Amino acid sequence: MPVEQVDVLVVGAGQAGVAMSEHLSRNAIPHLVLERARIAEKWRSGRWDSLVANGPAWHDRFPGRAFDGDPEAFVGKEAVADYFAAYAKQIAAPIRCGVEVREVRRLDGRPGFRVDTSQGVVEAQSVVAATGPFQRPVFPRIVPESAGIRQLHSADYRNPGQLPEGAVLVVGAGASGAQIAEELLEAGRRVFIAIGPHDRPPRRYRGRDNVWWLGVLNKWDMAAPSSDTRHVTFAVSGAHGGETVDFRRLAQRGATLLGRAKAFADGVLTIEPGLAENLATGDQNYLSVLDEADAWVARNGADLPEEPEARVVLPDPACVTDPILSLDLAAEGIASIVWATGYGLDFGWLKVDAFDAAGKPKHQRGVSAEPGVYFLGLPWLSRRGSSFIWGVWHDASFIADQIAIQRSYRAYRAPAERAAEVA
Ligand SMILES: Cc1cc2nc3c(=O)[nH]c(=O)nc-3n(C[C@H](O)[C@H](O)[C@H](O)COP(=O)(O)OP(=O)(O)OC[C@H]3O[C@@H](n4cnc5c(N)ncnc54)[C@H](O)[C@@H]3O)c2cc1C
């Protein structure tokens, strides 16, 4: 049977794969998108039930389509998935769902790649890996299974009812940890939350949402930091119409704040000191955004109402001034732990020379070290916005351009070759 030939193969049909398809079509580049599940599957089955987008509908979208309804609303996860499915339809994206890419290897002695899939072999001149910024849950095995505590990663958390009765420890204070801890508190659980250094920008300031401030302050476009830059956890939330994440407020409502979880022995979790400093990094980030926003208002003479009350920081609760450094889980009635500890990459299927010794993709703005292989949707691929809905669309445009340029080199024929082809 002849092997199916495609010019560009895109792996994954999340927002990155859909954006890639749009830009390839704009460049009239034939392509195929293979998706192992459904379009935007992660928004459907890889997130908790109550999740809403972190940014308002007017912002967290592609330029070619608006969400139905209030543009200021924070859209629910199913509606986000529906949006991408509708978008794919609108642009007639050639997406084949239910096909997993199992292996990609460079062809021997001729250009292109052999792609082994769950439904046979495809050969492609170029491959775009759009398999997501968050592929493999990072699950620190600090507490052994033998401790008899229900443990799950935030990727598998769905709702409070899924957890056994009793108190819950949430580890991690990014967007996931902060939102899950709040939901558990609202469900009447006793909640402990382990907090490391983090950024926590204001949700709104002087009448504008955080996404707008990041835009006018050129933060979305901030270039990728160098590989030794510390990637700080980013605590934001669109829940309840969008509120600033404030761990002290969470404590006022009953949560117990802890430093980072360090080790476990004999039923006791050791907690790193430094909770107050970790909260201070969040405060610094929060206040720095207010300062930059105020400076922008002054420079531009913008008519945005002053908001001095935004600078009021709540007093430290007792769990901060007198921090807990060891936590007896049974004594506190903790029956489950949600590890909101982030994600890593897994490119085991991509057997090409595009990774460093540590397995990190080697690329520049998504153009990998292996000619013909591209990455899209990775955190900081080209800028801060790269893994977000808004940013991935622009990165896809750049990559489509690069693919078009390479195609034109491949199509080039010297005059003598052209003459020979005509003859
Ligand atoms: C909890 C959470 C909330 C977020 N909220 C927001 C938000 O509000 N706004 C925002 O802009 N960003 C948000 N993000 C970040 C980002 O937008 C999402 O992670 C988004 O899903 C990334 O889209 P993607 O297309 O790059 O990857 P994914 O959505 O992960 O899509 C990759 C696709 O590739 C498929 N795939 C993987 N491997 C293969 C294979 N071998 N063969 C075939 N198919 C494969 C998967 O099935 C998947 O459908 C959030 C992330 C998380 C974790």
Side-chain angles (χ1 to χ4, degrees), residues 4 96-100 102 116-122:
E4 181 176 4
R96 220 175 274 165
C97 288
V99 186
E100 182 171 32
R102 292 186 172 155
D116 282 277
T117 82
S118 54
Q119 291 185 15
V121 176
V122 177

Side-chain angles (χ1 to χ4, degrees), residues 11-17 34-38 41-43 47-48 51-55 60 99-101 130-134 176 343 349 377 387-389:
V11 187
Q15 62 208 34
L34 294 182
E35 163 57 52
R36 69 175 163 207
R38 294 170 290 180
E41 181 65 38
K42 289 287 166 68
W43 283 99
R47 311 277 185 256
W48 62 92
L51 177 73
V52 298
N54 284 331
D60 275 19
V99 186
E100 182 171 32
V101 170
T131 48
F134 305 124
S176 296
Y343 296 79
W349 53 274
S387 58
F388 295 90
I389 294 171

Side-chain angles (χ1 to χ4, degrees), residues 131-143:
T131 48
F134 305 124
Q135 299 167 2
R136 184 181 44 80
V138 171
F139 196 145
R141 298 288 169 182
I142 293 176
V143 180

